[in-house]
Amino acid sequence: MSGATVVDAHCHMSGLDLPSAEKFILELRRRGVSRAVISTAGGFHDWDYSRENDLLSAASRRAPEVFIPFCTVNPHRGRAAVSELRRSVEKLGMRGLKLHPPRQSFSVFHPYIDEIIDEASGLGVPVLFHDGTPPLSTPLQICDLAENHRDALIILGHSGLNDLWRDAIAGAERLDNVILCTCATPFIAIRRMVERLGADRVVYGSDASDGNPSVVDFNLNKVRALEIGEEDKARILGLNILRILNLLD
Amino acid sequence: MANRMSLDREGGRWGVVDGHCHLGAAGEEPARSELLSEMDARGVDRAVICPTERYIAVYNREGNDYIMEAVRSHPRRFIGFATVNPWYGDGAIEELERSIRSGLKGLKLHPFLQGFHLTHEVARPIVEACAALGIPVYVHTGTPISSMPFQLAELARGFPEVPFIMGHMGHSDFWRDTVPAASRSENIYLETSLVAVSLIRNAFERLGAGRLIFGSDVPRSSLACELEKVRAIEMSEEERRKVFGENLLSLLDRR
């Protein structure tokens, strides 16, 4: 087993109480995961997502050495979404923005999405997108957004999933502000993206949550099974996402 | 059931059968030797092999020939599934019959690669032929708009005598449909590659071990990772034998 520090770039928290957080930390540690980017699980459906951002940031403050919280906002709220993003980063200390177009029922061509992405890039935080799910979040739809916002850093949270990973790699090849996350992406696609883009553009993620930590194993094993050097593996397993988030010591 | 294959107990353990692999033609991956050495390394005794992409889409005969040859070379290691594109009509049925006569054991359909809907009438004669031949049908699922779990369930309702294997359990985005769709027809089995372990565990709890078939989807996935994933599910030894081979073997040679 690789001795690299493992940071999971794609996790969720459903229970925002202390026991749930502690249980999740134990489950992650048991699997060799030191830190995890967490975003809401149920909050994508909340119109009042600011409360969810409050709760998530409070939960992660209990274990700041483990949890790296990402906020969420909904473009349907217009300017309120932009100011909530600013509040979440500046006041709550959240490190990124997570958007889930299908669950939040918005198109990436929503009139307010540009302001939100600009705000994220102005704040210096990445935007982690759920992707791979037509019709609202295909990789190339999101890459079009990345092309319009070259200062923003966009993470494709699933790199196209099982059907659209070729699109994700094609988009990321053109756009150096697009990062690919290995979560639920088939092994062949992970191999291909590392070959085509290099290890610096790929981050490990699992979609694990406190309620469903066991998906870490399969997703982590896929990255560990890559036939690449240990240094490159260490980048994918954790160093890249820490660098993106300015968390490297 | 005549000629039903048995799951041998070898070396004090039950042999594992991988229910879904692709084998590349010459110069494509995975080469036969690579697949065999990977199976050896992971303790997999037998694997269902079927052709890869272009052979699924258009060059069915060449793909099936390659699978037949692999089975002839390694009859104790490989179980061959043929593929035919339903749009070839009578030619598809003739090719399927030829393949089964030559020792292949099932049919693989991939509605997305083959450009048809499971509910389209073009699929029916092929499935009727499978019923007559007594062979199972493995169907890739999860890719909208042509290969979704409920489309398979719709087809399966019309052919209760044909076993259907729901490839990848609707992964990526149709996992919510998997158990409800499979609940509609007893003749639907779920193949475990690619999909998250939590969803396999849920299907195991809701439908039982008798409906699950371990598969790896090599070379799209890693055999080692897929094995470890399914092995992590707590089940009895008897249930484990079903999932890792017996269910699949029970679907073969049913005439």
Side-chain angles (χ1 to χ4, degrees), chain A residues 103 130 132-134 160-163 165-166 184-189 191 212 214-215 217-218 221-222 225, chain B residues 29 53 140 142-144 168 171-173 175-176 194-198 201 219-222 225-226 228-229:
Chain A
R103 286 202 181 182
H130 170 89
T133 307
L161 289 170
N162 194 36
D163 291 315
W165 55 267
R166 288 180 182 82
T185 320
F187 183 65
I188 193 174
R191 264 194 350 204
N212 186 17
S214 61
V215 292
D217 300 320
F218 183 51
N221 285 342
K222 283 186 289 185
Chain B
E29 69 166 0
E53 290 179 327
H140 167 93
T143 308
H168 324 307
H171 179 75
S172 307
D173 280 320
W175 53 270
R176 290 177 188 82
L194 308 178
V195 71
V197 64
S198 46
R201 194 179 287 121
R220 285 176 66 86
S221 193
S222 142
C225 296
E226 295 286 352
E228 190 170 335
K229 178 182 81 174

Side-chain angles (χ1 to χ4, degrees), chain A:
Chain A
M1 184 178 280
S2 165
T5 301
V6 179
V7 182
D8 196 316
H10 189 156
C11 289
H12 296 276
M13 282 282 278
S14 46
L16 296 170
D17 51 299
L18 187 58
S20 299
E22 286 175 345
K23 176 174 167 274
F24 195 22
I25 291 169
L26 283 177
E27 293 281 2
L28 291 169
R29 285 206 177 124
R30 193 159 74 77
R31 295 173 163 86
V33 179
S34 314
R35 307 192 71 175
V37 168
I38 53 167
S39 60
T40 181
F44 295 122
H45 306 290
D46 276 0
W47 191 239
D48 183 15
Y49 44 76
S50 60
R51 185 175 160 274
E52 188 78 8
N53 291 333
D54 285 338
L55 290 170
L56 190 75
S57 61
S60 52
R61 269 197 295 275
R62 294 188 186 118
E65 74 287 2
V66 178
F67 293 133
I68 306 165
F70 276 31
C71 67
T72 194
V73 300
N74 190 323
H76 290 305
R77 295 288 298 269
R79 293 230 157 74
V82 180
S83 54
E84 173 61 14
L85 168 60
R86 194 180 317 123
R87 183 188 79 94
S88 297
V89 174
E90 290 183 340
K91 301 276 196 280
L92 302 179
M94 299 178 101
R95 312 292 302 220
L97 171 65
K98 171 71 192 277
L99 294 174
H100 198 308
R103 286 202 181 182
Q104 295 179 304
S105 301
F106 72 89
S107 153
V108 298
F109 305 107
H110 187 282
Y112 270 97
I113 197 77
D114 289 319
E115 280 191 52
I116 290 169
I117 302 297
D118 282 342
E119 187 69 26
S121 112
L123 291 163
V125 298
V127 185
L128 170 59
F129 267 95
H130 170 89
D131 80 300
T133 307
L136 290 175
S137 55
T138 74
L140 292 176
Q141 288 169 332
I142 297 164
C143 283
D144 193 71
L145 199 61
E147 194 164 1
N148 288 336
H149 297 270
R150 296 304 298 262
D151 293 335
L153 194 69
I154 306 286
I155 304 171
L156 296 181
H158 296 286
S159 300
L161 289 170
N162 194 36
D163 291 315
L164 298 174
W165 55 267
R166 288 180 182 82
D167 297 16
I169 294 173
E173 276 191 310
R174 281 190 290 111
L175 300 160
D176 59 10
N177 56 328
V178 172
I179 300 291
L180 299 183
C181 179
T182 61
C183 173
T185 320
F187 183 65
I188 193 174
I190 300 171
R191 264 194 350 204
R192 188 82 59 86
M193 67 178 75
V194 175
E195 283 165 14
R196 297 268 287 269
L197 300 165
D200 287 340
R201 301 278 302 284
V202 180
V203 296
Y204 152 72
S206 73
D207 221 1
S209 67
D210 46 319
N212 186 17
S214 61
V215 292
V216 164
D217 300 320
F218 183 51
N219 284 287
L220 196 49
N221 285 342
K222 283 186 289 185
V223 176
R224 292 202 196 279
L226 290 170
E227 288 163 344
I228 56 174
E230 289 304 311
E231 285 186 8
D232 279 347
K233 211 172 277 188
R235 291 187 179 100
I236 297 169
L237 287 172
L239 294 176
N240 289 342
I241 190 67
L242 292 177
R243 173 174 45 81
I244 288 164
L245 296 168
N246 297 314
L247 290 171
L248 271 184
D249 296 330

